[in-house]
Amino acid sequence: MTHEPHWLLDWYWNNVSGENVSHLICDSLKGRCKLRIAGDLHHYMRHSCVSSEGPIHVQHLLVNGCGGAFLHPTHVFGNFSQFYGKTYDCRAAYPSFDDSSRIALGNILKFRKMNWQFDFIGGIIYFILVFSMFPQCRLDHILEDDSFSGLLMSFFGTVGNSFVYVLEHSFVSLAGLVLLLIAAIAFVPSKLSRKKRAIIGLLHVSAHLAAALILMLLLELGLETCIRHKLLATSGYHSLYQWYQSVESEHFPDPTGLRARIEQWTFGLYPACIKYLMSAFDVPEVIAVTRSNICKNGIQSLSRGGAIIYYASVFLYFWVFSTPVVSLVFGSYLYICINWLHIHFDEAFSSLRIANYKSFTRFHINSDGDLEVFTLAIDKVPKEWKLDPDWDAEAKRPQKWSHQRKYPSKWSASASQLDPVNTVKIVDQFIIRKTEKHDFASSNGSISS
């Protein structure tokens, strides 16, 4: 028994480890090691040696780490077949290869739900990638195109021009793109060649950049459409406050001049606080007015404070739009990698946080001296438990070990159909026959007692 299943991990990573254990098994035990068992990988797999000529150093290779906090895939290791120069066949896998591949689909459908914290960094990264693209002042060719195909061509042509602008003129967006590319290449597992890692990293970043540019252009088109239809940028920065003043003067007249005196007593803080508080809730108008000023007079016309307010306001809306997309793109990347390229097996399944598919292995030496191996499993782990009334009612005297009691567990599942007592099943069972001493002596020399 070892902590890690070297036979699987060495095959996967193209590595060689566990030399001391190999020396013990091959040079000292010489065929007496019938079973190697390990954990670490959170699934169950058993490989058995196919009959062949020559000595068999290990008959069975068993991995059971299903007690781990999350699940690991099995289909990634489906092509393992060679160990110690012998051929091995996969006799059992839990979950099955098909189920494991199907579970990986959750990276597309559930990644954001299970990893909502990823939204924070993902939205910031997307905004950095398109920071230099705001605002887009020349969108007439898109909005004025009559045909749908022409609109699409104009739209994606503008996306391509934005990408060229990032490469040729941008500083912030280009720096973010380069850093993201380096991180994406480094994120690809080292088992692949540098060329493949560079290609995968480049494709990964390209997908994120394309998504960010498309979202940026959609946001700008939405603002431009609202401005053209007089829905935004009609009354300046404080349109909401101006509306409030009109309503206040109409429904709450001040014939005594009380509001003017309050403004004088507070040194102008009374109306100023209301004005700027309302402009904080009128972010679309602030964006639209500032965008119109930039398109008319250039970015140089903005003060430093005005530029900070504009980009902060744009960031708020762009972050909301981008967070679902960045999770979808990254989840799709993990799905493609785990199912097609068989990489990122740790990241792709730990992100799903699957607590189901639990199992444990039990050994029993029967009356003939044979070792019987059973692996019991449950597909779905109950999330709600209750005190088992049968356990509570059972006599506590004389005191017995739990396995000797009729109701050994204090707890049972709240839903009886999910109770492990009712759902447990045997996913693998095999027997290792007892080997007589004279069999060892005939194949490996005499054995001293």
Side-chain angles (χ1 to χ4, degrees):
M1 177 184 291
T2 55
H3 168 57
E4 293 183 338
H6 299 294
W7 55 95
L8 286 182
L9 294 178
D10 285 354
W11 168 83
Y12 180 83
W13 294 109
N14 299 320
N15 191 22
V16 177
S17 62
E19 291 88 350
N20 291 338
V21 176
S22 299
H23 173 71
L24 173 67
I25 292 174
C26 298
D27 300 332
S28 299
L29 296 179
K30 296 181 179 179
R32 283 176 285 172
C33 180
K34 300 299 180 182
L35 171 67
R36 282 197 64 178
I37 183 170
D40 193 58
L41 293 177
H42 303 168
H43 60 220
Y44 178 84
M45 292 189 77
R46 175 173 67 91
H47 292 84
S48 297
C49 188
V50 178
S51 299
S52 62
E53 297 181 358
I56 299 176
H57 299 293
V58 182
Q59 184 67 42
H60 302 282
L61 305 170
L62 188 150
V63 183
N64 193 350
C66 286
F70 59 90
L71 183 68
H72 272 139
T74 55
H75 67 281
V76 171
F77 304 94
N79 292 329
F80 168 80
S81 61
Q82 296 291 323
F83 188 61
Y84 290 153
K86 297 296 180 180
T87 300
Y88 285 79
D89 182 37
C90 183
R91 300 295 176 85
Y94 182 76
S96 67
F97 293 158
D98 291 338
D99 288 342
S100 176
S101 180
R102 176 183 52 81
I103 292 170
L105 184 62
N107 279 289
I108 298 178
L109 305 177
K110 302 177 182 178
F111 180 86
R112 191 186 183 209
K113 178 182 177 181
M114 304 303 298
N115 304 274
W116 57 267
Q117 302 93 331
F118 187 75
D119 284 354
F120 293 101
I121 185 65
I124 294 174
I125 292 174
Y126 268 35
F127 182 70
I128 293 175
L129 291 177
V130 297
F131 176 85
S132 303
M133 300 296 103
F134 290 105
Q136 293 286 309
C137 298
R138 299 178 181 178
L139 300 176
D140 297 341
H141 62 290
I142 299 178
L143 296 174
E144 295 176 357
D145 207 309
D146 296 331
S147 64
F148 182 73
S149 59
L151 188 148
L152 287 180
M153 290 182 62
S154 299
F155 180 86
F156 287 106
T158 305
V159 171
N161 293 335
S162 300
F163 173 70
V164 174
Y165 181 87
V166 170
L167 298 180
E168 292 183 350
H169 303 288
S170 171
F171 292 100
V172 176
S173 297
L174 182 60
L177 179 61
V178 172
L179 291 176
L180 182 62
L181 180 60
I182 295 173
I185 295 175
F187 183 61
V188 180
S190 57
K191 65 171 292 186
L192 300 180
S193 64
R194 292 183 179 179
K195 181 180 178 180
K196 290 182 179 179
R197 293 175 65 190
I199 293 174
I200 293 174
L202 182 61
L203 292 175
H204 185 194
V205 171
S206 298
H208 283 297
L209 180 60
L213 290 174
I214 290 173
L215 289 172
M216 175 275 301
L217 193 53
L218 288 174
L219 179 60
E220 287 292 295
L221 285 172
L223 286 170
E224 181 67 21
T225 302
C226 290
I227 293 173
R228 288 191 173 203
H229 288 81
K230 306 298 182 183
L231 299 176
L232 291 175
T234 57
S235 306
Y237 287 106
H238 303 290
S239 59
L240 190 61
Y241 179 69
Q242 292 172 7
W243 170 83
Y244 161 76
Q245 282 186 316
S246 64
V247 173
E248 184 184 45
S249 60
E250 180 180 355
H251 297 282
F252 303 97
D254 184 21
T256 62
L258 178 61
R259 283 193 288 270
R261 289 197 297 272
I262 293 178
E263 180 178 355
Q264 184 179 3
W265 294 338
T266 58
F267 301 100
L269 290 178
Y270 156 66
C273 289
I274 297 178
K275 178 190 292 185
Y276 289 105
L277 183 62
M278 286 188 169
S279 42
F281 287 94
D282 197 17
V283 175
E285 185 70 16
V286 172
I287 296 174
V289 172
T290 308
R291 180 181 181 276
S292 298
N293 292 337
I294 295 175
C295 291
K296 183 178 180 180
N297 304 314
I299 190 69
Q300 297 81 5
S301 62
L302 284 184
S303 63
R304 179 171 298 180
I308 292 175
I309 292 174
Y310 169 70
Y311 284 109
S313 302
V314 171
F315 169 75
L316 291 176
Y317 275 83
F318 187 79
W319 185 85
V320 173
F321 293 152
S322 64
T323 48
V325 178
V326 64
S327 295
L328 177 63
V329 173
F330 189 73
S332 301
Y333 164 78
L334 290 179
Y335 171 76
I336 292 172
C337 286
I338 191 66
N339 269 8
W340 295 0
L341 306 178
H342 289 179
I343 58 176
H344 288 308
F345 75 87
D346 205 21
E347 296 87 349
F349 267 62
S350 62
S351 63
L352 298 177
R353 308 186 185 192
I354 298 172
N356 298 318
Y357 297 96
K358 298 301 183 187
S359 73
F360 63 92
T361 299
R362 298 196 66 175
F363 299 93
H364 173 245
I365 301 176
N366 62 22
S367 57
D368 297 329
D370 299 334
L371 180 65
E372 298 180 318
V373 185
F374 301 87
T375 298
L376 298 93
I378 55 173
D379 292 342
K380 192 171 181 61
V381 176
K383 295 183 179 180
E384 297 182 359
W385 300 83
K386 65 179 181 180
L387 183 66
D388 188 354
D390 295 326
W391 177 91
D392 197 38
E394 189 176 1
K396 304 298 188 295
R397 299 292 179 181
Q399 191 172 7
K400 299 179 180 178
W401 294 103
S402 294
H403 70 276
Q404 295 175 331
R405 296 172 59 114
K406 184 177 181 181
Y407 301 100
S409 176
K410 181 178 180 180
W411 303 98
S412 62
S414 297
S416 59
Q417 64 271 20
L418 294 180
D419 197 298
V421 175
N422 300 322
T423 61
V424 66
K425 61 183 179 181
I426 297 176
V427 295
D428 190 25
Q429 177 184 2
F430 63 100
I431 298 176
I432 300 176
R433 301 295 178 186
K434 177 183 177 182
T435 305
E436 301 296 337
K437 287 186 177 182
H438 66 80
D439 293 333
F440 284 126
S442 61
S443 60
N444 299 305
S446 60
I447 301 175
S448 58
S449 56

